[in-house]
Amino acid sequence: MTRPLSRRTFLRGTGALIALPYLDAMSPIAFAAARRPEEKVARMMYVYAPTGIMPHAWTPTTAGTDFEFQRIMKPLEKFRNDITVISGLGDNPANVKGDAGGDHVRAVASYLTGVPIKGREVRAGTSVDQIAARVLGQRTKFGSIEVACEDSRLVGGCDGAPCAYQTVSWKSPTEPLPPEINPRALFERMFGDLNVSSDPVERKNQQDYRKSILDLTLADTKSLQSTLGANDRRKLEEYLTSIREVEIRLGKADSQSLDALPAGAGKPNGIPASYAEHARLMFDLIAIAFQTDMTRVSTFMMAREGGARPYPEIGVPEAHHPLSHHGNKPDVIEKLIQIECYHLEQFAYFVEKLKSIKEGDGTLLDNCAIVYGAAMGDPQAHNHNVCPTLIAGHANGQIKSGQHIAYEKQTPMANLHLTMLELAGVPTEHFGDANGKLEFLTGI
């Protein structure tokens, strides 16, 4: 190899385009003196837990580094040094009732915008992820990727307001961004350049033609491998194997019958009947997008805010939202916590995935700042003043992880957003109802 491999190298084939992870050949020692230091890329992500989280099963009882992981967060305990728990934040704009909209729709639409909704006008604010995407997206294939595990329809009425509010991402105050719920569609968007037909027969023909993304790029892959060293060949093989595994799982999801879905799920073909498999496919695709620098910004709604999805696979056949009005009944609260634990288990899978991917001298998780949280605490009280929140990752060493930081009650959630923008290299002076950045969170 006579010169460094470009960071923008792709494996190409008919109807397919595969970005590469970072390889040693992209910065060989022979060129070290002539090149600029490798850019440290920070990724920003928000994972939204719908319909609240019970604070007593989440919030550590002590601040500092010796905090105990409560029941809901237990799956993350082995990642203690990669996790920062934050308490005291409030989604204060969700308390502003305005001319329309219940607590759930106010919560979801204000969570990343920091402003109250305008009811029937369908107006909120530009969300923090989209402010970052405007800058970071100039260097990536996608400015941002928005996904979810439950349909957030944008027409009709929801919780006393237009359903258009059922998303956390807003490109502008009047442009809500609906999340993608179909992993097959996201996969096609990431790797294919065919126009995917909405006709089932034509779509099947397209899929048969394509066979596999990896098969289509086989010749280009072999050509590249012949130029790489042993370490890079191993990295490339691990990466391509992860794509193949996603393809196989998507194939299984495509063949599943709708009859296998739990009542009330309302999922189209191509989406796994299992919630866990659905969530993990989406997380795997986001991990690949981060690994290959397809995007540096993402949002993920674990389910619809105030949604009716049941979870019979964990012994909870009742719909989520009705359970959230638990009436302080211990048996109902137990089922609600089971759902919240189940969501967090899927997030823990994602954290482990990112930590397993090597990047530079560390891991992909080291270069991420991923917020997991809700816009309310106890859903029975619709309490927006206590928003369970944590951050996974170190943002290139900028976050002091492994601690629980307790801020003053009702500290604006928007303060976290301002801090996240700074971590991502997009410093912003004002955002929503923020009154400053979060002290003690970072080393900046």
Side-chain angles (χ1 to χ4, degrees):
M1 186 175 290
T2 58
R3 57 189 177 86
L5 188 67
S6 170
R7 190 69 177 86
R8 297 294 179 221
T9 300
F10 294 92
L11 299 176
R12 300 176 184 274
T14 304
L17 198 66
I18 300 180
L20 295 177
Y22 184 76
L23 301 172
D24 293 342
M26 293 171 178
S27 59
I29 296 175
F31 297 90
R35 69 181 183 89
R36 293 177 299 176
E38 181 63 28
E39 176 191 13
K40 286 190 174 182
V41 177
R43 286 79 161 191
M44 170 197 286
M45 185 173 181
Y46 284 86
V47 181
Y48 183 76
T51 318
I53 297 176
M54 295 299 291
H56 76 276
W58 170 281
T59 308
T61 56
T62 59
T65 58
D66 295 327
F67 70 93
E68 292 186 8
F69 282 77
Q70 299 299 316
R71 179 181 172 188
I72 296 173
M73 280 198 292
K74 273 288 184 182
L76 290 173
E77 188 166 15
K78 62 182 178 180
F79 305 111
R80 170 183 289 273
N81 293 331
D82 302 304
I83 300 297
T84 306
V85 183
I86 301 172
S87 59
L89 301 185
D91 182 14
N92 303 319
N95 291 315
V96 181
K97 294 186 176 181
D99 64 342
D103 283 279
H104 290 288
V105 73
R106 297 201 306 271
V108 66
S110 64
Y111 183 63
L112 296 188
T113 65
V115 300
I117 68 171
K118 296 294 184 180
R120 296 180 181 85
E121 293 181 28
V122 186
R123 177 180 287 272
T126 303
S127 54
V128 59
D129 59 304
Q130 292 306 301
I131 290 176
R134 289 175 184 172
V135 177
L136 303 181
Q138 294 177 22
R139 305 189 64 181
T140 59
K141 182 177 181 180
F142 305 112
S144 60
I145 293 178
E146 299 77 38
V147 299
C149 281
E150 188 172 5
D151 188 20
S152 295
R153 56 192 169 90
L154 297 184
V155 296
C158 297
D159 196 24
C163 290
Y165 284 115
Q166 271 285 352
T167 181
V168 293
S169 295
W170 290 71
K171 188 174 182 179
S172 76
T174 58
E175 294 179 276
L177 294 176
E180 177 58 64
I181 67 168
N182 193 322
R184 167 62 72 181
L186 179 57
F187 186 87
E188 298 282 359
R189 179 185 172 199
M190 288 171 60
F191 296 113
D193 57 11
L194 292 175
N195 293 318
V196 181
S197 174
S198 60
D199 179 77
V201 175
E202 179 60 25
R203 183 177 175 84
K204 178 64 165 58
N205 290 336
Q206 289 178 343
Q207 290 174 355
D208 288 344
Y209 167 72
R210 294 192 57 172
K211 296 180 181 178
S212 165
I213 290 290
L214 303 186
D215 291 341
L216 291 172
T217 59
L218 185 59
D220 213 11
T221 300
K222 288 183 176 180
S223 176
L224 175 63
Q225 286 176 324
S226 67
T227 69
L228 299 176
N231 191 46
D232 276 349
R233 287 198 300 271
R234 177 189 56 77
K235 287 182 183 179
L236 183 59
E237 183 62 31
E238 289 175 352
Y239 168 62
L240 296 178
T241 297
S242 71
I243 294 177
R244 175 75 78 186
E245 289 174 350
V246 168
E247 283 193 314
I248 292 171
R249 288 155 60 199
L250 284 172
K252 291 179 179 178
D254 288 338
S255 64
Q256 285 176 336
S257 168
L258 285 174
D259 295 336
L261 295 170
K267 304 290 186 181
N269 276 320
I271 296 179
S274 162
Y275 174 84
E277 176 63 9
H278 187 185
R280 293 182 182 199
L281 268 173
M282 287 304 206
F283 276 133
D284 282 346
L285 287 167
I286 296 300
I288 290 172
F290 281 167
Q291 182 183 10
T292 57
D293 208 23
M294 285 186 185
T295 191
R296 301 178 186 178
V297 182
S298 182
T299 57
F300 192 147
M301 294 181 66
M302 297 299 293
R304 180 183 175 86
E305 176 64 39
R309 179 172 184 127
Y311 296 86
E313 65 269 36
I314 59 170
V316 183
E318 297 91 344
H320 189 179
H321 182 219
L323 286 175
S324 72
H325 296 276
H326 52 73
N328 294 316
K329 298 176 181 177
D331 60 326
V332 180
I333 291 176
E334 172 59 25
K335 291 181 178 180
L336 189 60
I337 291 176
Q338 282 182 287
I339 294 174
E340 294 162 4
C341 288
Y342 192 41
H343 287 167
L344 204 280
E345 287 169 7
Q346 313 319 314
F347 180 69
Y349 166 87
F350 182 52
V351 173
E352 186 164 27
K353 180 82 174 182
L354 297 178
K355 194 172 178 67
S356 73
I357 298 173
K358 300 300 181 184
E359 186 170 79
D361 296 330
T363 71
L364 184 52
L365 182 62
D366 292 334
N367 299 324
C368 291
I370 305 170
V371 174
Y372 183 99
M376 65 174 72
D378 186 345
Q380 169 74 21
H382 287 153
N383 186 351
H384 307 293
N385 303 328
V386 180
C387 295
T389 306
L390 64 80
I391 302 177
H394 304 274
N396 295 329
Q398 298 179 88
I399 297 178
K400 300 176 182 178
S401 301
Q403 61 176 329
H404 166 217
I405 308 176
Y407 292 99
E408 184 179 348
K409 186 178 179 180
Q410 286 188 263
T411 295
M413 178 69 68
N415 287 13
L416 170 61
H417 304 332
L418 271 182
T419 307
M420 287 284 285
L421 287 169
E422 183 115 351
L423 291 170
V426 189
T428 304
E429 188 172 350
H430 302 289
F431 182 83
D433 67 331
N435 57 19
K437 299 186 182 73
L438 294 184
E439 296 181 0
F440 314 116
L441 174 62
T442 73
I444 55 178

